[in-house]
């Protein structure tokens, strides 16, 4: 009995690293669509990592890391890049490097990652207050910034940085809107930071080059560990002097890493083989999944424009019961922690193949037929409840 269990466990462990095309992967793998951070490194990535340079990145000596930084900077139309462990770090560095002497403040979208999901980092790292704005439209506009920017030189903490996010909850900021914000920011002498963790998705969906978005901002953070599929990492891009200072601040924050070449090589592999063709396939699968769920009486709390669906069951079925059914029958994991039992964020990535979408729709169709109720009137839900961290109160 023990030998049988041990053999099964070893097979499970090995299956996490085999090619997605192999039968063993399909047999043992649970497809996690709670986020596009759930991609797993493949054997080919590990092979590429073995060929990477092995020098010290703290002193800028590692060739593979330098190559990745230069490549991403060029893709985004900037002079230099800095490879870091996470998007949280590159966002915080991008904002902090543009701030010098408090009192000062940063104007952000109230729904943005830098505001809600980076542990109060702007206050902690930059000693800055945050002006969190709920836009009148889908994304921040010049009018939103004009209305909420702090200009009181006597009693206020003056706005010094505006931070935008593209994509935001899977929706794309239109390029003309970003161009208008850039022009206004220059006139007001605000620095403009972009959390472009999923900027790749916006570029693939619209056909607009990354640099057309990125050049409009002073600093841009782009993630490699989300839809691009790398095991770890994010890059901050800007001009050479700003990146030189950001490198110093990265060391201050404990983010200086040594032999990072292997991780950089894995990220380059993903830039070559996941972006853009497989990302475009992912977006097409996302749209197909959304259209199928919509036919079953569900709604999306936001437009489905890239690889993300904020699905609202509208009372058609219990979210928790549906999630359990998907796990048991389709081997697909979604988050069901919403206390209202109705909204979840579904995020596809390149390791979610066509047959998984088919299985989700087949299982859901049967579940709705057997257990479905008449949908309630759709109303926008609290999107924060779709993130597990918002419902992680252990008290």
């Amino acid at each position: 009995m023990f030998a049988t269990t041990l053999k099964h466990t070893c097979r499970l462990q090995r299956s996490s690293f085999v090619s997605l095309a192999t039968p063993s992967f399909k047999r043992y793998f649970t497809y996690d669509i709670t986020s596009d951070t759930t991609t797993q490194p493949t054997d080919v990535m590990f092979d590429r990592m073995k060929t990477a340079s092995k020098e010290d990145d703290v002193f800028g000596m590692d060739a593979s890391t330098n190559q990745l930084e230069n490549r991403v900077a060029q893709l985004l139309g900037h002079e230099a890049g800095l490879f870091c462990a996470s998007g949280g770090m590159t966002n915080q560095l991008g904002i902090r490097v543009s701030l010098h002497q408090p009192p000062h403040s940063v104007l952000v979208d109230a729904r943005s990652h830098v505001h809600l999901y980076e542990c109060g980092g702007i206050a902690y790292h930059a000693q800055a207050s945050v002006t969190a704005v709920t836009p009148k439209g889908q994304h921040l506009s010049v009018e939103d910034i004009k209305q909420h920017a702090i200009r009181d030189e006597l009693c206020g903490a003056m706005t010094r940085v505006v931070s935008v996010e593209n994509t935001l909850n899977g929706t794309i900021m239109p390029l003309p809107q970003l161009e208008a914000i850039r022009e206004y920011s220059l006139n007001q002498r605000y620095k403009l930071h972009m959390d472009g963790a999923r900027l790749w998705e916006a570029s693939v969906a619209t056909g607009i080059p990354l640099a057309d978005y990125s050049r409009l901002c002073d600093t841009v953070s782009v993630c490699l560990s989300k839809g691009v599929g790398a095991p770890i990492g994010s890059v901050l891009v800007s001009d050479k002097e700003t990146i030189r200072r950001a490198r110093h601040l990265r060391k201050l924050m404990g983010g200086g890493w040594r032999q990072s070449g292997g991780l950089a090589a894995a990220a380059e592999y993903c830039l070559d083989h996941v972006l853009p063709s497989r990302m475009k396939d992912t977006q097409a699968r996302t749209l197909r999944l959304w259209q199928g769920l919509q036919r079953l009486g569900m709604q999306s709390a936001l437009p489905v424009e890239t690889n993300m669906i904020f699905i609202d069951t509208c009372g058609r079925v219990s979210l928790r019961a549906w999630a359990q059914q998907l796990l048991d029958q389709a081997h697909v994991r979604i988050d069901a922690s919403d206390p209202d039992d109705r909204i979840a964020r579904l995020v596809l990535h390149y390791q979610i193949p066509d047959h998984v979408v088919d299985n989700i729709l087949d299982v859901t169709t049967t579940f709705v037929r057997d257990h479905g109720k008449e949908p309630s009137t759709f109303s926008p839900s609290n999107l924060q409840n779709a993130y597990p961290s918002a419902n992680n109160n252990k008290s």
Side-chain angles (χ1 to χ4, degrees), residues 227-364:
V228 177
I232 191 172
S234 187
V235 177
L236 178 71
V237 299
S238 189
D239 60 81
K240 290 180 180 178
E241 174 59 22
T242 298
I243 292 300
R244 185 192 67 79
R245 290 187 286 114
R247 186 177 291 274
H248 181 213
L249 290 171
R250 183 186 69 169
K251 187 71 166 64
L252 171 67
M253 294 179 184
W257 47 8
R258 300 294 177 177
Q259 289 72 36
S260 58
L263 294 171
E268 280 229 68
Y269 171 85
C270 292
L271 291 178
D272 290 334
H273 295 280
V274 177
L275 183 76
S277 59
R278 299 184 76 175
M279 189 172 283
K280 197 168 192 67
D281 292 342
T282 295
Q283 293 181 357
R285 290 188 188 102
T286 305
L287 181 60
R288 185 163 71 88
L289 175 60
W290 158 231
Q291 290 171 340
L293 294 175
Q294 188 179 38
R295 286 193 294 269
L296 294 172
M298 299 187 188
Q299 294 291 333
S300 179
L302 288 173
V304 179
E305 296 179 351
T306 52
N307 67 323
M308 198 175 294
I309 308 168
F310 280 81
I311 197 68
D312 192 327
T313 65
C314 296
R316 192 84 167 101
V317 292
S318 159
L319 174 63
R320 284 185 280 274
W322 177 42
Q324 190 62 53
Q325 195 76 2
L326 288 177
L327 188 60
D328 293 342
Q329 300 297 322
H331 307 292
V332 171
R333 178 177 292 112
I334 67 172
D335 177 67
S337 60
D338 175 18
D340 295 329
D341 194 31
R342 59 181 286 173
I343 190 167
R345 187 183 72 152
L346 313 181
V347 192
L348 272 62
H349 52 75
Y350 85 102
Q351 290 180 337
I352 305 297
D354 279 326
H355 79 268
V356 173
V357 174
D358 295 334
N359 291 346
I360 293 171
L361 293 176
D362 289 345
V363 169
T364 305

Side-chain angles (χ1 to χ4, degrees), residues 182-219:
R182 176 59 173 175
E183 182 178 359
Y184 182 73
S185 297
L186 286 172
N187 289 338
Q188 298 298 314
R189 298 185 179 179
Y190 301 149
K191 291 291 186 178
L192 184 57
H193 173 74
M194 178 191 286
D195 176 357
R198 296 182 176 90
L199 185 62
W200 322 94
E201 300 280 358
S203 177
V204 168
T206 62
I208 296 171
L210 289 161
D212 286 9
Y213 291 107
S214 177
R215 274 195 290 254
L216 298 171
C217 302
D218 297 288
T219 53

